[in-house]
């Protein structure tokens, strides 16, 4: 018997996850998307895996360019996360007009200066996984690291603080 899609989504919504911003700089523009399906894969060599919609433009651009930036978002980035989760969004630079950012040294992708951490990554490979792809990323640098920043978390379809209480809407 197949698993009900709504039950599956509700079950996974019970798992609190950090929220990240994946950005890619191609020859024309900057593309970005909010992701919460991120996991550490290996420390030696440093690898992370990121789940992306298989039909989405960010996965297509990442495959073409082969490098990206991945910022672990801080609590104050809830609006940024919402902006990059919306369909039909404009250039990443336009969505970050009031947010301090810089370029990662290897990928030249946008990373947020006030995130918890930022990873400068090279695509090892894309693996098909249902309606998504898993991007296996080799971490080549850590241009941002702030151990004191408060994380942005997603739980039950909403952004929450460390206690699990909903974040106020800004």
């Amino acid at each position: 018997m197949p698993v009900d899609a709504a039950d599956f989504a509700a079950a996974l919504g019970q798992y609190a996850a950090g929220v990240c911003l994946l950005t890619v700089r191609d020859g024309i523009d900057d593309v970005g998307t909010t992701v919460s399906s991120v996991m550490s894969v290996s420390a030696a060599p440093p690898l992370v895996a990121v789940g992306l919609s298989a039909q989405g433009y960010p996965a297509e651009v990442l495959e073409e360019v082969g490098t990206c930036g991945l910022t672990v978002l801080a609590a104050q980035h809830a609006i940024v996360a919402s902006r990059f989760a919306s369909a039909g969004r404009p250039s990443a630079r336009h969505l970050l007009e009031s947010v301090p950012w810089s370029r990662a040294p290897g990928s030249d992708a946008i990373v947020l200066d006030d995130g918890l951490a930022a990873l400068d990554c090279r695509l090892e490979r894309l693996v098909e996984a249902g309606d998504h792809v898993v991007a296996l990323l080799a971490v080549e640098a850590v241009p941002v690291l702030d151990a004191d920043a408060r994380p942005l978390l997603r739980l039950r379809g909403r952004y929450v603080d460390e206690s699990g209480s909903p974040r106020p809407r800004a």
Side-chain angles (χ1 to χ4, degrees), residues 6-158:
D7 287 346
F8 179 68
L12 293 183
Q14 300 300 316
Y15 179 71
V19 183
C20 296
L21 174 63
L22 182 136
T23 58
V24 178
R25 183 172 192 183
D26 70 8
I28 301 168
D29 207 350
D30 293 282
V31 175
T33 189
T34 301
V35 292
S36 57
S37 296
V38 177
M39 67 178 254
S40 171
V41 175
S42 170
L47 298 170
V48 294
V50 176
L52 298 168
S53 173
Q55 300 304 314
Y57 188 61
E60 178 184 328
V61 174
L62 176 59
E63 186 173 28
E64 287 174 15
V65 173
T67 59
C68 66
L70 186 66
T71 302
V72 181
L73 298 180
Q76 73 268 20
H77 295 134
I79 290 174
V80 170
S82 293
R83 287 177 186 164
F84 280 91
S86 302
R89 56 197 166 270
S91 165
R93 288 178 310 228
H94 297 297
L95 296 175
L96 296 171
E97 287 179 3
S98 62
V99 179
W101 59 269
S102 55
R103 298 260 178 211
S107 65
D108 208 29
I110 291 173
V111 293
L112 304 190
D113 296 338
D114 56 354
L116 274 72
L119 308 175
D120 193 12
C121 302
R122 178 180 39 79
L123 179 65
E124 284 286 314
R125 68 179 157 268
L126 287 178
V127 179
E128 292 183 25
D131 59 357
H132 279 62
V133 293
V134 176
L136 185 61
L137 304 172
V139 178
E140 300 193 326
V142 180
V144 175
L145 184 59
D146 183 353
D148 296 324
R150 293 179 45 235
L152 179 62
L153 301 173
R154 187 155 176 87
L155 176 66
R156 298 182 185 117
R158 346 167 66 166

